[in-house]
Amino acid sequence: MKNNIFVLLCLCASPAFAQDNTEDSLSINLEMQGSFSNSNTPLWLNANKYGLSSLSSSNGYFRGMATYNKRLFDGEFDVQVGADVAIPIGYKLPGGNSDYTRNFIIQQAYVAGSWKYGTLTVGAKQQPIELKNNELSSGSQTLGINATPIPQVRLGLNRYWNIPFTQEWLAIKGHVAYGMMMDAPWETVAAKGTKNKYNRYTRYHEKAGYLRIGNEEKFPLSLTLGLEMGAQFGGSVYNWIGNDWESYRGGNVKFDSSLKNYWHVLFPFGGSDSESIAYSNSDGNILGSWVARLNWNDENIEVGAYFDHFFEDHSGLFLLDYDGYGSGDQWNTKVDNRYFKYDLKDALVGIDVKLKNFTYVNQAVVEYINTRYQSGPVYHDHTEAFSSHISGRDNYYNNSEFSGWQHWGQVIGNPLFTSPIYNNDGSIEVKNNRFNAWHFALAGDPFEGLHYRAMLTWEKGLGTYDFPYLNPKENTSILLEAMYRMPGTRFTYTLAFGADFGELLGDNTGMQMTVKYNIR
């Protein structure tokens, strides 16, 4: 198997999403990748690749992508069409640590139209993370780059738009999207391993908004504040009941996928609870992050300090939850102006640096992540016997009704949450979501055509509140990667070495080779 992949690797090559925004353009690219390891593929050879990766000890793919960009109406309107497909090597369905989860992967397929600041995208398209270094960061906690893109209709301001009458000191950007998760074939097979739940035809929603304060043309300091949110709703969930799969609660009961639910997930907080399912104002799994970045950008250096606080409900969103219910006949009535306060303990905080006049080392990132608090270890909804409401045990990325914040087995957010593809029993859940971690990374361009990056991550996992590890499990992951574009040619070669050490992910050592060829 390894020899076959190596031979194919030497024959072929891949996409760099090239486009010319000044005129009509067509870009066609080919890529070939092979990965080889002693056990599972190491973390940083697998993670943050938009789901195009595998844990198998020998794996690879052929990939081709074409993009066409057309300018209309004297350049006022832009239309872009993209197709990106991959054929995996070593395909098999899940049921443990599997190879690629499909034998033919439509990685991207979309049509996008842009006018001035607005863009409407229909289909599956890889989107970058905001306010962080896409190459060196461990990833965003809500809208990350770790999972396969979800087909959706997305409307957004992709560039900052200056608010009128603010002399360009205030600007906004953001987007809203609806789609459908397409991993039911993987979930159906994976769930048979434990006869646990799986979902089909789950609707997907995401939105984000960012406010930038500052004008770097006049002063190099700026502050950006933002909110990123996601939701899963609709479709059906199946549990193993008796000797067969049945829709949740038996029969043909499905989650509400009507238009009103599309509205509810757009404005998910502040209404009454659903009568049939116990989450607020929406038949769905609601989550998100408060994000911020303080940035200094002058002619020599760019330095940013950023913050990403993840939440699953009111307790994490506002750090407050209502706790003023009465007693007796008023046990379910709001009678007092009383709230339970939660601590701000869980967050990803980081600093990144770009040195504009250096080559050997010109980028660096340091991040610390803590997710151990999750609004505390106690969850108690108010009852007739005990009126206090304490909304802890948030169980990040997991959900009692849905398969959690994952797509095709990879978490949609930060990959330091252990993805379901690592589960040997086939269960679709994140078994390690309480952890703290340090992440270090740097990159440089020491010679013409040569670019490198290096990453080091240490993590201590506690499992989950429901199923904690008997003893904390630690892990150290490293990545050393060099990319060389041969001058005067259309080839780019990448060689990467990765390793994991520790009980959390096991001891894994591997190498990854990628050849890219730009046809035009």
Side-chain angles (χ1 to χ4, degrees):
M1 177 66 176
K2 292 182 180 180
N3 292 334
N4 292 338
I5 295 177
F6 182 75
V7 171
L8 292 171
L9 181 64
C10 294
L11 295 176
C12 242
S14 153
F17 187 94
Q19 61 174 322
D20 184 346
N21 287 324
T22 62
E23 59 185 18
D24 298 350
S25 62
L26 174 65
S27 175
I28 304 175
N29 300 273
L30 299 174
E31 178 175 297
M32 176 63 192
Q33 184 177 101
S35 298
F36 320 98
S37 59
N38 66 326
S39 185
N40 286 344
T41 301
L43 175 68
W44 293 122
L45 297 183
N46 166 70
N48 285 344
K49 295 179 181 293
Y50 293 97
L52 192 56
S53 55
S54 167
L55 292 186
S56 176
S57 60
S58 298
N59 68 83
Y61 61 76
F62 295 105
R63 184 181 183 186
M65 183 172 72
T67 59
Y68 178 67
N69 198 77
K70 177 71 174 178
R71 309 286 292 188
L72 301 170
F73 307 114
D74 296 325
E76 288 292 319
F77 191 78
D78 178 90
V79 176
Q80 187 177 97
V81 180
D84 178 7
V85 299
I87 300 175
I89 303 171
Y91 160 78
K92 68 179 180 182
L93 285 171
N97 291 341
S98 65
D99 288 342
Y100 294 86
T101 52
R102 292 149 287 170
N103 57 6
F104 183 78
I105 300 172
I106 302 177
Q107 183 69 9
Q108 300 182 85
Y110 64 90
V111 177
S114 299
W115 180 69
K116 296 187 181 297
Y117 290 85
T119 299
L120 175 65
T121 305
V122 179
K125 187 177 186 295
Q126 296 178 174
Q127 301 288 351
I129 57 177
E130 297 284 347
L131 310 186
K132 302 180 183 70
N133 186 311
N134 277 250
E135 182 185 20
L136 300 182
S137 172
S138 66
S140 289
Q141 295 194 88
T142 298
L143 305 179
I145 58 175
N146 190 58
T148 302
I150 297 169
Q152 58 191 255
V153 178
R154 174 184 172 118
L155 178 63
L157 294 172
N158 290 345
R159 295 182 295 129
Y160 280 99
W161 174 69
N162 292 311
I163 299 175
F165 311 112
T166 65
Q167 298 184 359
E168 300 184 353
W169 284 91
L170 294 178
I172 58 173
K173 69 180 293 188
H175 72 271
V176 60
Y178 289 94
M180 180 180 292
M181 307 186 80
M182 304 301 293
D183 59 347
W186 180 83
E187 289 197 15
T188 303
V189 176
K192 289 182 179 179
T194 55
K195 297 182 174 59
N196 203 344
K197 71 176 186 295
Y198 71 92
N199 293 82
R200 299 186 66 185
Y201 309 116
T202 300
R203 274 55 166 181
Y204 174 83
H205 168 65
E206 69 172 62
K207 55 181 169 285
Y210 309 91
L211 171 66
R212 187 182 66 194
I213 305 170
N215 185 340
E216 293 184 351
E217 297 295 325
K218 298 180 179 179
F219 189 72
L221 184 66
S222 65
L223 173 65
T224 302
L225 306 173
L227 176 63
E228 300 175 346
M229 294 189 68
Q232 296 166 298
F233 66 104
S236 300
V237 61
Y238 291 82
N239 281 330
W240 187 264
I241 301 175
N243 295 314
D244 201 357
W245 293 100
E246 294 188 22
S247 181
Y248 183 68
R249 296 190 178 95
N252 295 315
V253 177
K254 298 180 180 180
F255 295 131
D256 188 358
S257 302
S258 65
L259 288 178
K260 74 173 184 178
N261 261 51
Y262 284 77
W263 178 258
H264 284 168
V265 296
L266 184 62
F267 301 100
F269 299 111
S272 60
D273 289 351
S274 166
E275 294 180 359
S276 59
I277 303 169
Y279 27 66
S280 176
N281 195 32
S282 172
D283 292 349
N285 175 30
I286 310 295
L287 47 83
S289 290
W290 290 108
V291 294
R293 180 182 177 94
L294 183 64
N295 201 67
W296 177 276
N297 187 14
D298 63 27
E299 60 183 10
N300 298 312
I301 189 173
E302 181 177 1
V303 181
Y306 50 90
F307 170 87
D308 182 338
H309 166 62
F310 184 76
F311 58 83
E312 285 269 4
D313 55 22
H314 287 82
S315 62
L317 174 65
F318 300 115
L319 302 180
L320 289 172
D321 206 3
Y322 185 79
D323 186 32
Y325 295 97
S327 59
D329 293 339
Q330 292 185 307
W331 73 272
N332 200 31
T333 303
K334 297 179 178 180
V335 298
D336 294 324
N337 186 24
R338 187 174 72 237
Y339 293 84
F340 192 96
K341 180 180 178 298
Y342 301 87
D343 295 329
L344 179 57
K345 293 183 177 180
D346 289 348
L348 183 158
V349 293
I351 297 175
D352 65 36
V353 179
K354 293 182 180 179
L355 303 173
K356 300 180 180 181
N357 299 317
F358 288 77
T359 57
Y360 287 94
V361 178
N362 52 31
Q363 297 183 75
V365 166
V366 178
E367 294 178 342
Y368 176 74
I369 311 170
N370 182 65
T371 68
R372 295 172 294 178
Y373 178 56
Q374 301 193 19
S375 301
V378 177
Y379 178 84
H380 181 270
D381 203 355
H382 61 288
T383 65
E384 294 183 64
F386 187 67
S387 63
S388 292
H389 178 81
I390 304 173
S391 185
R393 304 170 71 96
D394 288 342
N395 204 10
Y396 294 168
Y397 287 23
N398 290 321
N399 185 266
S400 60
E401 315 292 346
F402 292 86
S403 298
W405 201 235
Q406 62 84 34
H407 193 226
W408 290 102
Q410 295 272 22
V411 297
I412 297 173
N414 190 292
L416 297 184
F417 292 84
T418 307
S419 291
I421 61 167
Y422 284 92
N423 297 341
N424 290 316
D425 59 7
S427 60
I428 308 174
E429 63 180 320
V430 175
K431 293 189 175 183
N432 176 53
N433 61 18
R434 297 184 61 234
F435 63 87
N436 64 306
W438 283 95
H439 174 75
F440 307 90
L442 54 86
D445 302 272
F447 307 107
E448 180 183 1
L450 179 63
H451 176 78
Y452 77 88
R453 63 172 176 158
M455 299 168 67
L456 170 65
T457 307
W458 172 85
E459 179 178 1
K460 178 187 284 188
L462 304 180
T464 67
Y465 271 126
D466 291 337
F467 299 100
Y469 297 144
L470 294 178
N471 296 298
K473 296 183 179 182
E474 296 188 15
N475 181 78
T476 300
S477 296
I478 63 172
L479 172 72
L480 300 173
E481 180 182 86
M483 180 177 67
Y484 180 66
R485 180 160 188 172
M486 189 177 297
T489 74
R490 296 175 180 267
F491 284 95
T492 301
Y493 304 91
T494 303
L495 179 64
F497 169 80
D500 302 323
F501 307 99
E503 191 178 0
L504 185 60
L505 299 181
D507 294 330
N508 310 302
T509 304
M511 181 177 295
Q512 190 172 87
M513 295 176 286
T514 309
V515 181
K516 301 181 179 181
Y517 180 68
N518 174 240
I519 295 178
R520 59 171 298 170

